[in-house]
Amino acid sequence: MNDPFKQAEAPRKVLTADEAAEGRLDAWLTQVLNGEFSRNRIKALIEQGVVTLNGKACTEPKKKVSPGDQIEITLPEPEDPEPKGEDIPLDVLYEDEDLIVIAKPPGLVVHPGAGNWTGTLVNALIHHCGDTLSGIGGVKRPGIVHRLDKDTSGVMVAAKNDLAHRHLADQFADHGRSGPLERAYMAVVWGRPKGLKGTIDAPLGRAGGDRTKRAVTRENAVDAREAVTHYEVIERFHETPEATSLAALIECRLETGRTHQIRVHMAHIGHPLIGDLDYAGGFKTKVNKIPEPARTVVSAFPRQALHAYLLVFEHPRTGEVMEFEAPIPDDLEQLIEALRQ
């Protein structure tokens, strides 16, 4: 198909249907705009009355398109987001017109919610990105396609427009099975797995009636979600002649991306993360086996020892494979160094 449209002054698009044009108006527009907007977004715009067909307003998404038809879209200005921008410092690893990549510090909540309506990463991105946010679904906000727990640090990417949001979301939903997406984490766990490399293939579901916690569950459970984690032991701390360790630094690579996946999976095989208040409660007394000064550092470590150090994805517009690493934050580096002594 030849380029079917010419760009008028934003936010107005003027298109001419070519000789192969057919089908519903919403479907045709979605196709010729090369994924710039989702079909649901196109349908909503038509129903809002901002699309004309041959000079007349058209509010029927199912209206048929014919060769030679003239279609004009006048895009409404993106609405202001409900969360307000806040001047929160960001460690920006990369930024362009489509996306932003940041190194999230521990303690920063990603999205506003109960108990955290302000002071979140979304508030920070709205302030930082400003007018470069062209709107997700008609709202001037960043597109969050994946999340890290509040107390997990590491690399995150967010979209600035519908095209980037949908493309990135598809990559994360695919889990890298047919594309370049990769996610890797560093974690410090109690003990060490018997095998220095391994795969944990165990579905996750809700932990009893708890809305936020997760647990390994049966494959046929109603809320079971496939979850696969590959791990490798990188370093062992205070190893004994019997090939056991008090703690270990491991790398985890996600084949799926479920809530608390690494934390639950490592606890499931008997090696929960140091500092994990939700999944390592039974390991608190193990700190007494660690010699000083490491014992004091481990006892005071305020969060789960987990850092998303690597993120690889395909750029939604250029197709370039992009790779980003976030340095291990100071608190986790101090924990590792204390265990080495």
Side-chain angles (χ1 to χ4, degrees):
M1 177 185 293
N2 295 327
D3 186 357
F5 69 92
K6 56 186 177 180
Q7 178 71 55
E9 288 186 8
R12 181 168 160 262
K13 292 180 182 292
V14 181
L15 307 92
T16 301
D18 66 12
E19 64 278 1
E22 61 179 359
R24 291 172 53 123
L25 176 60
D26 57 351
W28 182 83
L29 283 172
T30 303
Q31 178 186 5
V32 299
L33 290 175
N34 297 316
E36 185 175 349
F37 303 105
S38 68
R39 184 164 173 176
N40 284 340
R41 175 74 172 130
I42 292 291
K43 182 179 178 182
L45 289 171
I46 294 171
E47 291 174 343
Q48 288 174 29
V50 300
V51 176
T52 65
L53 178 63
N54 298 321
K56 296 182 179 180
C58 178
T59 58
E60 297 181 30
K62 63 182 180 180
K63 186 75 174 180
K64 299 299 182 183
V65 176
S66 302
D69 281 346
Q70 297 284 324
I71 296 96
E72 182 175 319
I73 306 174
T74 303
L75 296 174
E77 289 294 323
E79 299 174 7
D80 288 334
E82 287 187 11
K84 302 302 179 184
E86 297 178 41
D87 189 5
I88 300 169
L90 290 174
D91 183 0
V92 179
L93 303 178
Y94 175 83
E95 184 175 8
D96 63 21
E97 63 179 342
D98 295 304
L99 54 86
I100 181 170
V101 181
I102 63 107
K104 186 186 92 65
L108 181 64
V109 174
V110 170
H111 203 280
N116 294 286
W117 294 111
T118 61
T120 72
L121 176 60
V122 167
N123 297 111
L125 288 172
I126 290 171
H127 174 84
H128 174 87
C129 297
D131 291 338
T132 65
L133 292 173
S134 66
I136 306 295
V139 179
K140 195 179 294 183
R141 60 182 173 88
I144 303 298
V145 293
H146 68 128
R147 300 192 186 193
L148 295 176
D149 295 335
K150 172 185 175 182
D151 290 326
T152 298
S153 55
V155 189
M156 286 192 66
V157 60
K160 291 185 174 184
N161 52 52
D162 277 315
L163 171 68
H165 185 242
R166 194 162 58 259
H167 196 290
L168 288 170
D170 287 345
Q171 291 185 62
F172 279 88
D174 182 61
H175 304 302
R177 292 188 174 99
S178 60
L181 183 76
E182 289 183 52
R183 288 167 292 171
Y185 295 68
M186 287 294 180
V188 182
V189 302
W190 288 109
R192 77 159 176 86
K194 291 181 179 179
L196 298 184
K197 282 186 177 183
T199 296
I200 306 168
D201 186 348
L204 300 182
R206 285 190 176 182
D210 196 302
R211 187 178 62 85
T212 57
K213 290 181 67 175
R214 297 295 183 268
V216 169
T217 189
R218 305 185 315 276
E219 288 186 11
N220 60 354
V222 174
D223 63 343
R225 303 288 300 278
E226 179 191 17
V228 181
T229 304
H230 305 283
Y231 69 83
E232 179 178 0
V233 177
I234 304 300
E235 190 173 351
R236 290 160 279 182
F237 306 116
H238 301 280
E239 192 166 29
T240 70
E242 292 78 28
T244 63
S245 303
L246 285 177
L249 175 66
I250 65 170
E251 179 191 73
C252 293
R253 289 183 177 261
L254 296 183
E255 189 173 314
T256 57
R258 308 303 180 197
T259 300
H260 298 179
Q261 179 174 316
I262 292 173
R263 298 167 61 189
V264 177
H265 270 176
M266 295 313 300
H268 177 64
I269 65 171
H271 303 285
L273 275 59
I274 285 178
D276 195 331
L277 298 179
D278 290 325
Y279 303 106
F283 283 71
K284 290 180 180 179
T285 58
K286 283 192 175 292
V287 73
N288 297 323
K289 298 182 180 181
I290 299 176
E292 291 290 5
R295 183 189 307 168
T296 298
V297 176
V298 173
S299 297
F301 197 71
R303 65 182 181 99
Q304 64 264 11
L306 185 62
H307 175 65
Y309 83 91
L310 175 70
L311 179 62
V312 179
F313 59 87
E314 179 181 284
H315 193 283
R317 190 177 300 274
T318 68
E320 177 187 358
V321 176
M322 310 189 77
E323 179 175 327
F324 299 96
E325 290 193 22
I328 294 178
D330 291 343
D331 66 339
L332 191 54
E333 190 65 64
Q334 290 167 8
L335 174 68
I336 294 169
E337 193 57 40
L339 287 167
R340 282 178 179 148
Q341 295 175 12

